[in-house]
């Protein structure tokens, strides 16, 4: 069966993580993604954080599977000519250069539209167009700080903290992929392309929506009852960092399990959801709390929440995180073990579902990568290895009508 995006041709002018994560997703779903890279060096992540000398780094291979690679110096006249031909026959161009780089290369939106009125040009930038920081170059943690994630993460007595999850990079790429698919859908109706842009700041902010909710609640009532600062601590006029408190109105915390003294991940996340209170009391051996007015409502519990967590930790001290979850799941209590990357890499369920997959690479051999988190009933997403630098240059040039002599000449002049 053909893949859903088969027939969609994408010029992948992306690098590092935000853009490549977007185009990789589209490639998994069947688009022909041609990664355009500078001759000789390519995407900087090919050589960043290498674990095997002279082989593409995992940073690159894990963000560029299912693509083809074309080397092209788009600042040379020949390179520009090749890119123009590609634009004429492609559907989408995705880029995440620093501000203004595409224009400086000569490929303004006006020019691209002239070459192909159906073209969708999708961009990632650090800040949105017209923003007072629009000239800034931006990386992951910069975006997490600018988008509200850092000021609201970490502990109240520590500094702003960034997340290990790529909220600035891959998250922005996922937003952009939604934008591209939306523009393609629109083009099916109008025949016209358009510009689609996502800023990293906006994409982070979109995930910090509940914190903007909290700012407005704080402005109105002066406190946030689900934060550890309530009722004993102090609130200022800005949303505080809440440590590991749950953001959705259910108090929760990361609790120590057996072995926490030596294992940095011997913890579970435990949520005290209102309706789960009786089963929680039963599970942890405190049935007397079920009908005790000092504990029956969430409000009554709030000023003792850390004493309650301490009691649960006492119950957990002779149980591993997996044993604890196995007991708590029988009581329908929302919880999970804190899993390390090593445990995730070897998780049989993630392997079976294709969420972690082993892929072959021409230079590296086998490596693990994260497969599609989106599952379809009519398609199994197959992940293939990332391309070597320029692996598909000649075949792409041939498909654009260049003769073998012209291709040899382009290699000699280092245009490709
Ligand atoms: N041929 C010729 N020139 C090329 C080329 C190619 N195939 N590919 C890139 N270049 C040129 C660009 O035209 C640009 O030239 P110019 O600045 O002289 O006009 C130059 O390479 C550098 O591009 P730039 O994207 O600015 O790279 P950088 O290494 O200085 O900055 C980032 C890297 C990521 C900070 C920057 O690209 C950025 O802010 N991007 C937007 C936000 C983003 O995606 N951040 C990264 C998230 S992972």
């Amino acid at each position: 069966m053909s893949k859903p995006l088969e027939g969609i041709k994408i010029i992948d002018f992306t690098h590092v993580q935000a853009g490549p994560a977007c185009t990789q997703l589209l490639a998994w779903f069947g688009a022909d993604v041609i990664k355009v890279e500078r001759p000789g060096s390519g995407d900087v992540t090919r050589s960043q954080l290498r674990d095997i000398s002279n082989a593409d780094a995992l940073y690159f291979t894990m963000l560029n599977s299912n693509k083809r690679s074309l080397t092209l110096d788009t600042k040379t006249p020949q390179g520009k000519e090749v890119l123009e031909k590609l634009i004429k026959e492609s559907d989408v161009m995705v880029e995440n250069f620093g501000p203004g780089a595409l224009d400086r290369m000569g490929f303004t939106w006006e020019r691209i539209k002239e070459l192909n009125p159906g073209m969708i040009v999708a961009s990632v930038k650090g800040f949105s167009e017209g923003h007072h920081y629009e000239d800034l170059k931006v990386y992951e943690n910069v975006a997490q700080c600018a988008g509200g994630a850092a000021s609201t993460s970490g502990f109240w007595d520590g500094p702003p903290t960034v997340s290990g999850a790529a909220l600035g990079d891959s998250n922005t790429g996922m937003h952009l992929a939604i934008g591209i698919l939306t523009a393609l859908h629109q083009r099916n109706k109008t025949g016209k392309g358009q510009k689609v842009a996502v800023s990293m700041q906006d994409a982070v902010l979109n995930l910090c929506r509940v914190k903007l909710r909290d700012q407005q609640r704080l402005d109105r009532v002066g406190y946030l009852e689900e934060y550890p600062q309530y009722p004993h601590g102090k609130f200022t006029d800005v949303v505080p960092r809440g440590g590991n408190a749950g953001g959705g109105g259910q108090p929760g915390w990361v609790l120590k399990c057996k072995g926490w003294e030596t294992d940095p991940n011997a913890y579970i996340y435990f949520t005290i959801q209102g309706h789960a209170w009786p089963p929680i009391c039963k599970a942890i051996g405190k049935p007397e709390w079920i009908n005790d007015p000092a504990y029956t409502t969430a409000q009554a519990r709030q000023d003792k929440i850390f004493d309650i967590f301490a009691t649960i930790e006492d119950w957990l001290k002779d149980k591993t995180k997996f044993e604890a979850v196995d007991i708590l799941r029988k009581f329908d209590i929302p919880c999970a073990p804190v899993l390390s990357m090593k445990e995730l890499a070897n998780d049989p369920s993630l392997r079976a579902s294709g969420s972690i997959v082993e892929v072959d690479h021409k230079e590296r051999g086998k490596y693990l990568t994260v497969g599609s988190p989106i599952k379809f009933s009519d398609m199994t997403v197959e992940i293939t290895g990332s391309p070597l630098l320029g692996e598909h240059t000649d075949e792409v040039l041939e498909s654009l009508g260049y003769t073998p002599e012209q291709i040899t000449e382009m290699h000699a002049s280092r245009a490709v």
Side-chain angles (χ1 to χ4, degrees):
M1 220 194 88
S2 74
K3 297 198 175 134
L5 297 186
E6 226 165 78
I8 301 291
K9 195 168 194 168
I10 299 182
I11 303 172
D12 181 14
F13 232 161
T14 70
H15 62 161
V16 204
Q17 183 176 169
C22 166
T23 48
Q24 173 172 260
L25 190 88
L26 301 173
W28 288 343
F29 302 158
D32 178 13
V33 175
I34 302 174
K35 180 150 178 125
V36 180
E37 300 181 80
R38 238 194 293 230
S41 51
D43 188 328
V44 66
T45 58
R46 284 188 185 268
S47 55
Q48 262 177 353
L49 310 175
R50 271 191 177 152
D51 57 322
I52 301 175
S53 56
N54 302 323
D56 286 333
L58 288 164
Y59 198 2
F60 179 85
T61 62
M62 293 178 72
L63 285 157
N64 291 284
S65 56
N66 297 50
K67 302 181 183 178
R68 298 198 280 165
S69 168
L70 161 73
T71 47
L72 199 61
D73 185 339
T74 52
K75 286 186 173 163
T76 64
Q78 276 171 317
K80 282 188 205 300
E81 183 195 282
V82 173
L83 188 58
E84 287 192 358
K85 282 184 193 247
L86 261 179
I87 289 172
K88 282 183 189 155
E89 58 168 56
S90 296
D91 303 282
V92 184
M93 177 195 275
V94 190
E95 64 93 17
N96 68 322
F97 292 126
L102 201 59
D103 290 355
R104 288 195 293 278
M105 222 181 256
F107 292 93
T108 60
W109 170 232
E110 293 309 318
R111 177 69 187 133
I112 293 171
K113 257 196 314 188
E114 217 171 75
L115 292 166
N116 180 354
M119 190 74 170
I120 290 157
V121 176
S123 302
V124 167
K125 296 286 167 265
F127 294 88
S128 57
E129 213 177 300
H131 190 285
H132 55 274
Y133 285 151
E134 75 173 331
D135 55 319
L136 283 179
K137 288 188 173 181
V138 171
Y139 285 107
E140 172 68 56
N141 292 347
V142 178
Q144 289 204 28
C145 289
S151 70
T152 54
S153 298
F155 283 79
W156 47 90
D157 52 356
T161 306
V162 297
S163 166
L167 307 177
D169 284 342
S170 279
N171 168 45
T172 307
M174 299 304 104
H175 278 81
L176 192 67
I178 295 167
I180 291 168
L181 296 174
T182 305
L184 279 169
H185 188 65
Q186 172 87 336
R187 195 187 67 174
N188 285 342
K189 295 188 239 168
T190 64
K192 270 176 57 185
Q194 61 180 309
K195 267 206 304 186
V196 182
V198 182
S199 86
M200 294 168 74
Q201 181 190 37
D202 290 352
V204 173
L205 179 60
N206 192 26
L207 297 197
C208 291
R209 185 170 290 262
V210 295
K211 299 297 176 182
L212 185 58
R213 172 202 68 189
D214 293 348
Q215 184 61 52
Q216 295 174 84
R217 292 168 57 222
L218 186 66
D219 291 344
R220 192 175 299 277
V221 298
Y223 62 88
L224 299 164
E225 67 263 26
E226 75 282 23
Y227 281 62
Q229 290 82 345
Y230 179 85
H232 305 303
K234 268 184 118 88
F235 286 91
T236 67
D237 62 350
V238 298
V239 174
R241 291 186 270 290
N244 288 315
Q250 302 91 28
W253 207 250
V254 170
L255 301 179
K256 292 170 187 156
C257 295
K258 185 176 159 188
W260 67 272
E261 298 89 341
T262 51
D263 176 353
N265 296 304
Y267 291 82
I268 59 168
Y269 197 88
F270 193 102
T271 299
I272 301 185
Q273 236 179 356
H275 73 267
W277 182 241
I280 289 170
C281 297
K282 282 183 204 155
I284 64 169
K286 282 281 181 189
E288 66 273 22
W289 280 355
I290 297 177
N291 295 314
D292 183 341
Y295 290 91
T296 40
T297 64
Q299 208 178 7
R301 291 191 290 270
Q302 191 58 38
D303 66 341
K304 316 180 247 307
I305 199 78
F306 280 97
D307 297 332
I308 296 171
F309 288 143
T311 304
I312 301 172
E313 273 190 341
D314 193 50
W315 175 78
L316 288 166
K317 68 177 185 251
D318 60 350
K319 297 165 189 72
T320 67
K321 60 186 176 185
F322 298 112
E323 287 165 353
V325 169
D326 276 343
I327 296 170
L328 296 170
R329 71 200 295 193
K330 296 196 182 92
F331 291 87
D332 248 356
I333 296 166
C335 62
V338 171
L339 295 175
S340 68
M341 274 300 142
K342 190 168 187 157
E343 286 161 341
L344 289 163
N346 296 310
D347 186 310
S349 294
L350 294 180
R351 293 294 186 101
S353 68
S355 295
I356 300 242
V357 287
E358 198 171 67
V359 189
D360 252 327
H361 183 267
K362 292 189 180 70
E363 288 171 342
R364 303 186 57 87
K366 290 194 187 308
Y367 67 95
L368 286 186
T369 193
V370 181
S372 174
I374 305 170
K375 316 290 183 196
F376 299 87
S377 63
D378 282 355
M379 172 178 61
T380 305
V381 180
E382 196 196 326
I383 315 289
T384 60
S386 60
L388 300 178
L389 179 61
E391 186 177 339
H392 305 94
T393 300
D394 291 1
E395 77 179 38
V396 172
L397 293 175
E398 272 165 34
S399 74
L400 291 173
Y402 289 99
T403 63
E405 293 72 30
Q406 287 171 317
I407 295 172
T408 307
E409 199 277 309
M410 276 196 251
H411 279 289
S413 68
R414 306 180 76 84
V416 298

